[in-house]
Amino acid sequence: MSELSFLEGVNRYYDQAEKTLDLPPGLGAKIKACNSVFMVRFPIGFRDGFKVFTGWRVVHSEHYLPVKGGIRYSPEVDQEEVEALAALMSYKCAIVDVPFGGAKGALRINPNDFDEISMERITRRFARELANKGYISPSLNVPAPDMGTGEREMAWMADEYRRMEPTDINAMACVTGKPVNQGGIRGRSEATGRGVQLGLREFFRHPEDVKRAGLAGSLAGKAIIIQGLGKVGYSAAKFLREEDDARIVGILEYNGALLNPDGINVEAAKQWQNEHGTFDGFEGGTFVADSKPLLEEECDILIPAAMEGQITTENAPRIKASLVAEAANGPVTFGAHKILRENGKVIIPDIYLNAGGVVVSYFEWIKNLSHIRLGRLGRRADEARGDHIVTALESMSGKSVPAALAERIRHGASELDLVRSGLDDTMREAYQEIREVFLTRKDIPDLRTAGFAVAIEKISRMNIVMGV
Ligand code: NAD
């Protein structure tokens, strides 16, 4: 079977789900298509001459404004890839009930080829090009980090926008994923990986779902292989290991992998990678130079967290993991998805599982618009109420409340507590909604189709209410 492109695959998933719905004629085609594509080429002068850079911002659906979606820096990116990612953003936001339309951006660049000063010049110029055409704006189009970008790039973009719009009091809401001291929110950098953990936790709360994947019990002790120890993969692996007792038996990077059947110390491996640029030489596991075949190693859960198109029709027949948890966008091709399903594998789809980033971006945007840290008004009041409860319990019982329990009762929620609570609630509710559709509708064969169906239904309702 020939492999469909990323965009063709996303559109085919869409078609399959749309067929199960009863949309007014023509509306489905409107929802599927990208609304607009902005492509820009701009020069930057260096000592040895000018270099011309190519970037995109694609708006998929404006059923809510602003539209939302990351900006990716990658040497291989093209327009089709950005269109596919923008479409996934619309569906993702709908699934987790975040009131944003979908968009995505990219710059064709290898960030490793440039020093920090050059990256800042390039990023600021790209931000200006986008803002000049309304493709960055707190009310219309709000980028965030993705592959190859992070807090640093978001801080430059926000600052550039603020300089262009000095009288806009909401200027800092023009991008999310900023550093906390520049309008960011606590918990954003970990959010996508945290969401992967919370999504897996919710999956494991349903024994029938776990059984369908050929597994049993909880996340504790489960053998996990993760591909990509970047922003998403690192947080997911770290939290699953430290908080759920899962065993991270393999970490696969583009330049080699680390294997250890007893579990890898993720924190230590990350530190080694940061210092040496590779896992080679790290003592907490066996180093294997060729990482790609290790996707096929024996494990309970495979978490592709690097990039799209990693599990294809070529390697899908050899995948042994019972559960594939898509932390990256589009890591399983359309053809591979079919093969995995035929082989009885369960896939928790990207449009649900990696939505944690956009959920917390939504919280950051709200924080920027309200100009106040979440929890700032209520935290000490909650603590005072907790104190009264402890005092009341002690005076009524004549006994003292154990110190650890008293501490928990007194605790007032911090910004990070609130962000994590909001994310947890969202990931639980969204999984339950998708699952319900999957279990109750005979024409829905898997969680991915259920996710698409849920998203298309919500977006179509908005379109009908607004008038297309
Ligand atoms: P990142 O650039 O921080 O990390 C990607 C990691 O994958 C890097 O460590 C890189 O070396 C590694 N990698 C790249 N190619 C590889 C290969 N062929 N084999 C093994 N490892 C490889 O990017 P990220 O932000 O963590 O994003 C990863 C994926 O998650 C992407 O698909 C992205 O679209 C998706 N995603 C990211 C976010 C977010 O908030 N950052 C949100 C939702 C989805």
Side-chain angles (χ1 to χ4, degrees):
M1 181 181 174
S2 72
E3 207 78 72
L4 296 182
S5 74
F6 187 11
L7 180 60
E8 286 166 341
V10 169
N11 285 339
R12 285 284 286 279
Y13 291 137
Y14 179 94
D15 292 339
Q16 287 179 349
E18 197 218 299
K19 254 189 254 154
T20 70
L21 303 169
D22 190 20
L23 300 189
L27 183 59
K30 189 256 168 237
I31 296 173
K32 184 165 78 169
C34 283
N35 285 6
S36 67
V37 178
F38 174 59
M39 196 258 263
V40 59
R41 293 205 178 92
F42 58 87
I44 300 283
F46 296 95
R47 276 202 188 135
D48 54 349
F50 286 100
K51 280 197 174 68
V52 176
F53 295 88
T54 306
W56 293 266
R57 186 80 181 154
V58 172
V59 173
H60 174 260
S61 178
E62 290 155 295
H63 61 285
Y64 277 118
L65 283 175
V67 294
K68 195 84 189 74
I71 289 192
R72 156 177 300 200
Y73 283 3
S74 151
E76 282 109 30
V77 68
D78 60 25
Q79 183 175 315
E80 254 211 41
E81 181 179 321
V82 191
E83 285 187 38
L85 290 162
L88 289 179
M89 280 307 298
S90 296
Y91 310 140
K92 197 177 297 183
C93 290
I95 286 173
V96 290
D97 284 326
V98 162
F100 291 142
K104 202 82 180 189
L107 187 65
R108 190 182 288 150
I109 188 172
N110 184 347
N112 299 327
D113 293 346
F114 298 91
D115 61 20
E116 187 161 2
I117 291 175
S118 305
M119 284 309 297
E120 178 169 354
R121 287 174 64 213
I122 298 163
T123 301
R124 284 182 180 275
R125 173 67 184 265
F126 186 34
R128 273 203 307 282
E129 297 287 340
L130 294 175
N132 273 330
K133 299 282 190 297
Y135 283 87
I136 293 185
S137 143
S139 54
L140 296 176
N141 199 321
V142 182
D146 192 67
M147 252 171 74
T149 56
E151 289 187 345
R152 185 184 74 162
E153 286 72 20
M154 298 307 113
W156 290 332
M157 287 190 172
D159 185 58
E160 198 59 30
Y161 184 84
R162 198 174 40 183
R163 287 173 191 217
M164 291 172 72
E165 303 287 342
T167 58
D168 183 350
I169 195 167
N170 293 321
M172 289 310 275
C174 72
V175 297
T176 56
K178 302 178 293 289
V180 172
N181 60 8
Q182 284 177 71
I185 195 165
R186 286 162 190 82
R188 173 59 183 91
S189 56
E190 66 172 42
T192 309
R194 174 69 76 184
V196 170
Q197 174 206 27
L198 296 172
L200 275 166
R201 274 190 187 171
E202 183 57 25
F203 178 87
F204 276 86
R205 280 194 194 100
H206 301 276
E208 320 91 273
D209 302 17
V210 178
K211 194 169 165 214
R212 202 173 298 110
L215 297 169
S218 69
L219 274 165
K222 292 287 177 295
I224 296 181
I225 292 182
I226 191 150
Q227 184 197 36
L229 202 64
K231 294 186 291 297
V232 177
Y234 164 66
S235 306
K238 178 180 155 73
F239 295 141
L240 285 164
R241 172 180 182 272
E242 292 177 2
E243 297 172 10
D244 297 286
D245 279 337
R247 262 181 315 131
I248 310 298
V249 297
I251 303 178
L252 323 184
E253 264 290 336
Y254 71 97
N255 60 351
L258 203 54
L259 295 180
N260 185 343
D262 298 327
I264 297 163
N265 180 336
V266 176
E267 192 71 50
K270 184 69 188 170
Q271 245 176 37
W272 184 273
Q273 187 198 29
N274 284 345
E275 281 165 30
H276 301 87
T278 165
F279 297 131
D280 199 3
F282 179 67
E283 288 188 350
T286 310
F287 179 73
V288 181
D290 187 10
S291 72
K292 189 86 187 266
L294 301 178
L295 287 168
E296 302 155 25
E297 280 291 295
E298 199 78 56
C299 66
D300 298 313
I301 309 171
L302 177 62
I303 308 183
M307 59 188 295
E308 60 276 2
Q310 295 302 298
I311 302 171
T312 62
T313 49
E314 195 277 316
N315 61 359
R318 299 189 298 276
I319 297 292
K320 295 191 191 66
S322 334
L323 181 62
V324 178
E326 294 186 334
N329 282 311
V332 176
T333 65
F334 182 81
H337 168 97
K338 213 161 156 262
I339 295 171
L340 292 178
R341 258 197 48 218
E342 282 161 8
N343 291 347
K345 313 295 185 192
V346 169
I347 302 172
I348 309 183
D350 49 5
I351 44 170
Y352 159 67
L353 195 65
N354 70 29
V358 77
V359 170
V360 178
S361 275
Y362 172 45
F363 301 156
E364 181 177 332
W365 184 72
I366 289 172
K367 175 184 181 180
N368 292 154
L369 295 184
S370 55
H371 300 270
I372 188 164
R373 165 169 50 83
L374 268 62
R376 181 165 173 182
L377 295 182
R379 184 173 174 191
R380 302 298 167 195
D382 286 347
E383 278 184 11
R385 184 176 305 126
D387 215 26
H388 294 322
I389 293 171
V390 172
T391 311
L393 285 171
E394 289 180 343
S395 63
M396 284 161 71
S397 67
K399 293 180 190 160
S400 56
V401 174
L405 181 58
E407 192 58 36
R408 287 219 298 281
I409 296 173
R410 285 194 185 103
H411 181 77
S414 67
E415 180 171 78
L416 187 60
D417 293 327
L418 292 170
V419 164
R420 287 181 175 166
S421 151
L423 179 58
D424 192 10
D425 184 54
T426 306
M427 295 307 290
R428 290 188 200 212
E429 296 269 317
Y431 181 76
Q432 287 163 22
E433 192 173 5
I434 297 172
R435 174 177 191 273
E436 185 66 20
V437 168
F438 167 57
L439 291 179
T440 54
R441 302 229 304 243
K442 290 209 172 54
D443 50 353
I444 300 271
D446 51 40
L447 289 169
R448 193 191 311 278
T449 316
F452 270 82
V454 165
I456 298 167
E457 245 174 355
K458 288 182 185 173
I459 297 173
S460 71
R461 271 203 300 275
M462 270 307 288
N463 273 283
I464 292 166
V465 169
M466 283 186 326
V468 180

